Amino acid sequence: MGKEKVGFWVVGVVVLVLILGSSAASDDRQQRWRKAVMSGETMGSSMMINRAPSSIVLPLHGNVYPTGFYNVTLNIGQPSKPYFLDVDTGSDLTWLQCDAPCVQCREAPHPYYKPSNNLVARKDPICQSLHTNGDQRCESPGQCDYEVEYADGGSSLGVLVRDAFNLNFTSEKRQSPLLALGCGYDQDLGGSYHPIDGVLGLGRGKSSIVSQLSSVGLVRNVIGHCLSAHGGGFLFFGDEIYDPSRVAWTPMSPNAKHYSTGLAELTFDGKTTGFKNLLVTFDSGASYTYVNSQVYEGLISLMKRELSTKPLRQALDDQTLPLCWKGRKPFKSIRDVKKYFKTFALSFTNDGKSKTQLEFSPEAFLIVSAKGNACLGILNGTEVGLNDLNVIGDISMQDRVVIYDNEKQLIGWAPGNCDRLPKSKSSIM
């Protein structure tokens, strides 16, 4: 399976490590960068911030197939300039390809970001949160170097800076808080390329944008998204645009770095499968859903048994995804094929008492390929290095409002109208 099948950074399972200039070449390019960035204009004075909690709603662009990812446009800098960012709940740090100068960058939709000289210091709590290895050696305490490595071998190397994020709030106020982001001057985008300027990190860590907005009192530490199966959708920060009583909630795993739940059980067509104690993570940086090899083989076996009497046969000539089926004539949409497939579900136990189910209807695990075949958007995660981790990707979150409430440590979902921006709580559920 090629890396291009998985979306921008495969999945957003991320390792954050500090780069410490371990070689002379690394030291040299950091010194060149430091000289260049310090020649920029000085950042303006601190901005007045309205501390009354509100929410932010941002339109999304993209789709699961054929684009393979969703992105958001953010206006950053002084003066403000637009950038397309990949939306990734599986990683924390937001970064832009940065001309300071850029040692290695890919072609991007907009000119590379030019930072001010507002460097994040090594002692800053956000910088320290990136030091997962605990190593505090640094020749320049006035600068925070970073390196982000993703599961497909892609990476971004650079320096943390602060700049203005120009945001519209549901309170009808526009504000431009100074937030930390990565100025990435050396990127390896792994095996895939999409026309974006950087990554919007929405994870649970201190460096994520929503954590920073929450720390200055602008929004609650809550993220949500609604991905439309027709393409597009919206992303939101804060808790003011949904009715929590209409959401199915399950606790976040307290010890996980990512948006992980408690252990789950797989059911198929309402019946138990024997697959229990599954580790599950929600990740908008993954186009498709991944399950471990045992669950994958078991799920395919159950599907093939159900399909054995149906007018479908395996499309061996379609390499869009590992497993595709063809009918008597090409399918135009999931509606043409959904009647042949059973629904399955993950059941999450809440505090040992109640259970919350996440159902997977055919729309949540199938795509119709360019050849008109139905292809399975559930992939073998063990083959791409996820071991026993099971990842809920974009395909299985379409047409749902999915909410990550970091304050209450809950993950929730509900059917949603993702085709237009919400004007009230009742307009999205």
Side-chain angles (χ1 to χ4, degrees):
M1 179 183 63
K3 292 177 181 175
E4 68 279 6
K5 304 295 194 303
V6 192
F8 179 50
W9 286 110
V10 182
V11 292
V13 180
V14 69
V15 182
L16 289 166
V17 256
L18 183 73
I19 118 161
L20 299 170
S22 56
S23 68
S26 177
D27 287 340
D28 180 62
R29 68 181 174 182
Q30 289 181 42
Q31 291 294 335
R32 292 202 311 269
W33 186 91
R34 189 178 299 116
K35 181 178 180 181
V37 75
M38 291 305 292
S39 67
E41 295 181 1
T42 303
M43 175 63 72
S45 58
S46 298
M47 300 178 183
M48 297 299 292
I49 289 180
N50 169 27
R51 289 186 170 271
S54 184
S55 293
I56 299 166
V57 180
L58 299 163
L60 293 173
H61 305 281
N63 53 55
V64 171
Y65 178 83
T67 301
F69 74 109
Y70 289 84
N71 70 83
V72 66
T73 302
L74 282 183
N75 294 293
I76 302 171
Q78 299 181 92
S80 173
K81 295 180 180 178
Y83 298 97
F84 295 164
L85 300 178
D86 184 38
V87 176
D88 188 11
T89 59
S91 63
D92 295 334
L93 184 66
T94 293
W95 58 266
L96 291 172
Q97 294 199 100
C98 186
D99 185 12
C102 193
V103 175
Q104 179 176 250
C105 288
R106 291 280 189 95
E107 185 178 349
H110 299 101
Y112 299 144
Y113 168 70
K114 288 183 178 292
S116 71
N117 67 346
N118 197 6
L119 295 167
V120 174
R122 181 61 192 269
K123 65 181 180 181
D124 190 288
I126 290 178
C127 181
Q128 293 179 354
S129 73
L130 306 182
H131 291 262
T132 56
N133 60 3
D135 194 335
Q136 297 295 313
R137 292 181 293 110
C138 186
E139 293 181 5
S140 177
Q143 170 179 311
C144 180
D145 302 304
Y146 78 87
E147 182 176 2
V148 187
E149 295 179 346
Y150 297 90
D152 70 341
S155 63
S156 174
L157 177 77
V159 175
L160 255 61
V161 298
R162 278 191 171 86
D163 213 335
F165 280 63
N166 297 278
L167 303 167
N168 291 318
F169 290 76
T170 54
S171 60
E172 299 185 351
K173 292 186 177 180
R174 183 178 181 86
Q175 301 197 52
S176 301
L178 293 176
L179 305 177
L181 72 155
C183 169
Y185 57 80
D186 193 349
Q187 272 69 242
D188 177 358
L189 300 190
S192 56
Y193 168 73
H194 293 292
I196 62 166
D197 300 297
V199 171
L200 179 63
L202 299 174
R204 299 173 71 175
K206 190 171 290 187
S207 64
S208 81
I209 291 300
V210 73
S211 293
Q212 294 186 63
L213 289 169
S214 175
S215 70
V216 294
L218 285 176
V219 299
R220 304 287 185 195
N221 196 347
V222 177
I223 298 165
H225 53 69
C226 199
L227 309 177
S228 174
H230 302 112
F234 59 88
L235 171 72
F236 61 90
F237 305 152
D239 62 354
E240 294 191 334
I241 67 164
Y242 62 89
D243 181 351
S245 68
R246 302 174 68 179
V247 178
W249 296 101
T250 193
M252 290 184 192
S253 177
N255 300 319
K257 292 182 179 180
H258 307 291
Y259 290 119
S260 300
T261 64
L263 300 178
E265 177 182 2
L266 178 70
T267 62
F268 186 87
D269 195 24
K271 304 177 183 66
T272 59
T273 62
F275 295 110
K276 301 180 179 180
N277 299 322
L278 302 177
L279 301 169
V280 177
T281 289
F282 287 70
D283 183 6
S284 67
S287 299
Y288 299 109
T289 288
Y290 294 79
V291 294
N292 69 51
S293 57
Q294 286 185 322
V295 176
Y296 180 74
E297 296 298 336
L299 197 55
I300 287 179
S301 177
L302 290 167
M303 285 185 176
K304 287 184 174 179
R305 186 184 308 166
E306 289 290 333
L307 295 174
S308 62
T309 59
K310 305 296 192 299
L312 297 178
R313 56 193 172 90
Q314 194 167 343
L316 298 176
D317 60 336
D318 193 336
Q319 302 299 309
T320 303
L321 287 171
L323 185 57
C324 297
W325 294 272
K326 62 175 62 179
R328 294 191 179 99
K329 60 181 181 179
F331 302 118
K332 294 181 179 179
S333 71
I334 300 298
R335 288 192 300 273
D336 297 338
V337 71
K338 62 181 294 184
K339 61 185 176 183
Y340 302 127
F341 290 84
K342 298 288 187 180
T343 294
F344 59 93
L346 286 172
S347 180
F348 303 92
T349 300
N350 303 327
D351 303 322
K353 300 176 183 178
S354 62
K355 290 189 176 182
T356 302
Q357 280 208 337
L358 177 66
E359 289 195 345
F360 295 75
S361 65
E363 292 88 347
F365 60 82
L366 293 174
I367 65 160
V368 172
S369 73
K371 294 187 175 183
N373 300 318
C375 296
L376 181 64
I378 308 291
L379 306 178
N380 189 331
T382 306
E383 287 185 350
V384 296
L386 295 176
N387 300 319
D388 286 331
L389 185 64
N390 304 279
V391 176
I392 308 300
D394 293 341
I395 190 171
S396 303
M397 297 191 282
Q398 294 177 114
D399 293 335
R400 307 182 203 254
V401 181
V402 179
I403 303 162
Y404 313 87
D405 189 331
N406 290 300
E407 298 201 354
K408 297 180 181 178
Q409 293 292 288
L410 296 171
I411 298 174
W413 52 86
N417 178 2
C418 305
D419 291 325
R420 53 187 169 185
L421 296 182
K423 295 182 179 179
S424 66
K425 293 179 181 180
S426 62
S427 70
I428 65 171
M429 295 179 181

